[in-house]
Amino acid sequence: MATINEAIINANRLHPDCYGDEVKTAWLCELDGKIARETMHKSESISYSYPDDADKALLVPPPYDNIYELYIIAMGDFFSGELASYSASAAMFERAYEEFRKSYIRSNMPPQSTLKL
């Protein structure tokens, strides 16, 4: 699984910006919180802080863990006011996130009932 530091390093390689690791960690914390609640249906809260949690594993496993880099890039574009870039990067993130969600739901569906009506 990707760590916070790996996601930040990969995003910085792909799309350097002016935002620090603390800000990007907050974005990742926000994203994992949404994933935990909306997709995994977990009630515990997610809390990451940089640099203390830099080596902490994020929730989404490979091959879907590129959503973290895509999210950092999209958030950077948004807060930089690069709205055309944000539109494209947000769309890429949304596609990748939807692929993960579908895979997670398929893999974690409860068994179908065997009751006959």
Side-chain angles (χ1 to χ4, degrees):
M1 291 206 184
T3 65
I4 290 169
N5 203 39
E6 290 169 344
I8 291 171
I9 289 169
N10 289 339
N12 288 343
R13 281 187 194 135
L14 294 169
H15 192 71
D17 60 36
C18 64
Y19 300 99
D21 295 344
E22 295 84 9
V23 170
K24 292 175 183 176
T25 299
W27 293 339
L28 294 173
C29 182
E30 175 185 297
L31 177 58
D32 263 3
K34 288 179 184 179
I35 291 168
R37 282 186 312 277
E38 297 171 6
T39 302
M40 297 177 169
H41 304 290
K42 295 180 180 184
S43 60
E44 66 267 8
S45 64
I46 302 288
S47 178
Y48 303 141
S49 68
Y50 196 88
D52 296 338
D53 295 324
D55 294 322
K56 192 169 206 165
L58 296 162
L59 293 177
V60 176
Y64 304 102
D65 56 349
N66 70 325
I67 68 168
Y68 294 112
E69 292 88 12
L70 294 171
Y71 190 73
I72 291 171
I73 291 167
M75 295 300 285
D77 286 342
F78 176 79
F79 285 108
S80 294
E82 300 290 335
L83 297 184
S85 293
Y86 170 71
S87 180
S89 57
M92 288 178 63
F93 164 75
E94 288 296 332
R95 280 193 298 274
Y97 182 52
E98 190 57 28
E99 286 179 28
F100 160 70
R101 283 179 45 84
K102 287 177 183 175
S103 174
Y104 184 85
I105 291 167
R106 277 192 307 269
S107 299
N108 294 281
M109 272 173 60
Q112 295 296 319
S113 173
T114 57
L115 294 175
K116 294 182 181 178
L117 299 176

